[in-house]
Amino acid sequence: EGANRQKTPNEIALTILLSALTIVFLPVVVTLQPFGRFSGTSVSVVVLVALLVCLIPTTIGALLSAIGIAGMDRLVQRNVLAMSGRAVEAAGDVQTLLLDKTGTITLGNRMAAAFLPTVGHSEEELADAAQLASLADETPEGRSIVVLAKQRFDLRERDLPPDHKFVAFSANTRMSGLDTGGRSIRKGAAESVRRWAVEQGGSIPEGLDDAVNSVARAGSTPLVVADGPTILGVIELKDVVKQGIKEKFAEMRQMGIRTVMITGDNPLTAAAIAEEAGVDDYLAEATPETKMELIKAEQEGGKLVAMTGDGTNDAPALAQADVGVAMNTGTTAAKEAGNMVDLDSNPTKLIDVVEIGKQLLITRGSLTTFSIANDVAKYFAIIPALFVATYPQLDTLNIMKLHSPQSAVLSAVIFNALVIIALIPLALRGVKFRATGSAAILRRNVFIYGVGGIVTPFVFIKLIAVVLTALHAY
């Protein structure tokens, strides 16, 4: 509630550019009538209207809708629904990317990798208790603990007395376990299990903190196991960073996009994963409130922010973000708050969404460059031809040596219509996306679409004029 998505810099810049060009050319064309009378040349209203149509940026104006529709279509092909074309455009202007660690940066299936017993206890003793506590745990982490104990110590076919009771994990206790035969075994977050063991009359064994911190610094998640008041040791749950994700973040950095990893892990684990994945920053022990604060801080610095979410508690942040991609498996509140919905519920898609937005802006920038360059050629085609009879000096600017003012105007108008039709396929297909900086993209646009936009009209307006002359069409 109260979230207000800002206009993108490109949206503002394009509006100013098109308005400025129209405002400049309108009085220029209007003043040609009195100028013509003063010089003794008759300039008809039809010619002036045709001249205005040719000089104002009608080409890019006509192609904007096609470019926007094509961007939304590319998202649909990736099973992402955008609520508006503006959302796709905002994705191209994103400067800060908030990415959940689990499932986006890492594979999301944490697996037990090692048993680290405390002083006075063996690895097998720890594995035995950890397996018992995990027999009813259907999560990938729980199943991996059972499998690791089997592989290391051949612990299998556990017989439990009828009075046994499994204790399910909850967000409040942050522990799970088993009560059986007078034993109470717990495994879970380090702080929670330590507190529970102390309440049972136990104490914190020497070296436990070092083991927990060592696992966390390695980028893994530490789970502490206790058998009643006795803490037996630590299980290392290792999550694997996705292959190629570091290179992808390097590309994002090259494009000027800052990546921030969002995780509920402790700062030590978050720092290790962030370094391995190559993200620019991280937010550890994240809550909905801290995510919202981070988004607002970035936006106050003038940056556009993109993020993903699926829960009701993510809804405020999704609404505040400039690009909020909600997962299809998420809550109704999350999907209503975001301006995009990923039907596959794959958080990694956020990177694809940004690339599609970048391609849309690159395509629009390229065709805008071409459109403005076109106006230069049209100027040299029409203006000198109109007044060369009165002012012979203008013949120097009449590079195309067109037959008459009528042929110049008619050829330019025909070219103006044909070039829009010719550029529609490129607008729909899009200019090929390359993960490069804005300076390199600008140089490429100026060289290909700027120079091409000047040369092309000279060639085709002259060609059209020759055909019209041959057909005696005026």
Side-chain angles (χ1 to χ4, degrees):
E1 187 178 350
N4 184 25
R5 291 191 172 99
Q6 58 187 319
K7 284 189 175 182
T8 67
N10 267 281
E11 183 182 1
I12 296 170
L14 185 63
T15 301
I16 293 173
L17 176 64
L18 298 184
S19 300
L21 289 175
T22 302
I23 291 170
V24 167
F25 283 122
L26 188 59
V28 167
V29 172
V30 170
T31 54
L32 286 178
Q33 179 79 341
F35 181 77
R37 287 178 183 174
F38 175 78
S39 61
T41 302
S42 176
V43 182
S44 70
V45 174
V46 174
V47 170
L48 290 177
V49 172
L51 178 61
L52 179 63
V53 169
C54 290
L55 292 183
I56 63 175
T58 51
T59 305
I60 186 60
L63 294 172
L64 282 177
S65 296
I67 296 170
I69 291 169
M72 294 184 72
D73 180 64
R74 281 190 283 274
L75 278 180
V76 170
Q77 290 175 20
R78 289 167 174 79
N79 274 356
V80 178
L81 299 182
M83 304 306 174
S84 68
R86 185 176 174 185
V88 188
E89 182 178 324
D93 267 325
V94 161
Q95 295 159 289
T96 303
L97 212 55
L98 306 187
L99 300 160
D100 282 333
K101 185 203 77 172
T102 305
T104 305
I105 295 174
T106 65
L107 293 175
N109 52 345
R110 294 181 297 182
M111 308 295 287
F115 295 113
L116 308 173
T118 53
V119 177
H121 300 282
S122 67
E123 188 176 349
E124 184 173 0
E125 184 183 1
L126 171 59
D128 177 80
Q131 188 186 61
L132 286 173
S134 305
L135 289 176
D137 190 344
E138 293 299 325
T139 64
E141 294 91 340
R143 290 196 294 269
S144 72
I145 293 171
V146 174
V147 170
L148 184 63
K150 284 181 182 179
Q151 292 173 344
R152 294 280 181 87
F153 305 104
D154 199 30
L155 296 172
R156 55 185 77 234
E157 297 181 5
R158 310 304 296 270
D159 293 324
L160 297 175
D163 64 342
H164 73 274
K165 178 185 176 183
F166 289 109
V167 179
F169 176 88
S170 74
N172 292 329
T173 64
R174 300 179 70 194
M175 296 185 300
S176 62
L178 171 71
D179 291 335
T180 179
R183 297 175 67 189
S184 293
I185 305 171
R186 297 291 185 272
K187 74 173 190 338
E191 282 298 324
S192 300
V193 176
R194 276 191 293 199
R195 191 184 310 114
W196 182 83
V198 170
E199 290 172 357
Q200 302 301 310
S203 60
I204 308 302
E206 182 182 350
L208 178 65
D209 289 342
D210 291 339
V212 169
N213 292 338
S214 175
V215 170
R217 286 194 190 95
S220 301
T221 301
L223 289 184
V224 174
V225 179
D227 188 347
T230 306
I231 294 180
L232 302 178
V234 179
I235 307 169
E236 178 185 6
L237 293 180
K238 189 168 182 57
D239 201 352
V240 179
V241 172
K242 287 184 176 179
Q243 188 174 6
I245 198 75
K246 190 168 188 176
E247 290 75 14
K248 181 67 72 173
F249 290 149
E251 290 179 3
M252 295 284 124
R253 193 175 300 109
Q254 192 175 2
M255 290 187 289
I257 298 174
R258 177 171 170 263
T259 52
V260 182
M261 182 184 76
I262 308 297
T263 177
D265 289 334
N266 64 59
L268 289 175
T269 302
I273 293 288
E275 183 178 359
E276 185 179 355
V279 295
D280 298 310
D281 202 355
Y282 63 88
L283 178 63
E285 298 176 340
T287 63
E289 292 76 21
T290 56
K291 274 199 266 190
M292 177 67 88
E293 290 170 5
L294 176 59
I295 292 171
K296 288 183 176 179
E298 292 290 321
Q299 290 174 335
E300 285 170 4
K303 296 178 180 178
L304 269 66
V305 181
M307 69 163 287
T308 61
D310 59 1
T312 301
N313 57 358
D314 290 324
L318 284 170
Q320 182 67 34
D322 301 284
V323 178
V325 183
M327 301 296 102
N328 193 41
T329 55
T331 62
T332 302
K335 287 186 277 189
E336 289 179 351
N339 51 12
M340 293 187 190
V341 177
D342 177 19
L343 300 180
D344 295 332
S345 299
N346 178 7
T348 312
K349 288 270 191 76
L350 184 58
I351 298 175
D352 295 332
V353 167
V354 170
E355 290 184 351
I356 290 171
K358 288 287 183 187
Q359 184 184 23
L360 183 148
L361 294 187
I362 290 170
T363 300
R364 195 171 68 184
S366 300
L367 295 181
T368 301
T369 304
F370 186 90
S371 175
I372 295 172
N374 260 265
D375 293 338
V376 176
K378 293 170 191 172
Y379 173 87
F380 281 99
I382 299 173
I383 301 297
L386 284 176
F387 296 101
V388 69
T390 305
Y391 299 99
Q393 299 90 337
L394 287 176
D395 191 53
T396 306
L397 298 178
N398 190 14
I399 299 171
M400 286 180 267
K401 305 298 180 184
L402 298 180
H403 181 267
S404 66
Q406 290 82 2
S407 70
V409 172
L410 187 57
S411 300
V413 169
I414 292 173
F415 172 79
N416 198 65
L418 293 179
V419 76
I420 295 174
I421 298 172
L423 289 174
I424 287 176
L426 177 59
L428 294 175
R429 186 178 66 251
V431 175
K432 186 176 180 181
F433 171 77
R434 291 180 175 86
T436 55
S438 55
I441 293 172
L442 178 62
R443 284 195 300 269
R444 181 172 178 269
N445 277 358
V446 170
F447 180 73
I448 296 177
Y449 297 96
V451 175
I454 291 176
V455 173
T456 302
F458 276 94
V459 173
F460 284 95
I461 288 177
K462 178 64 176 178
L463 183 61
I464 293 169
V466 170
V467 173
L468 292 176
T469 303
L471 296 175
H472 303 287
Y474 53 89

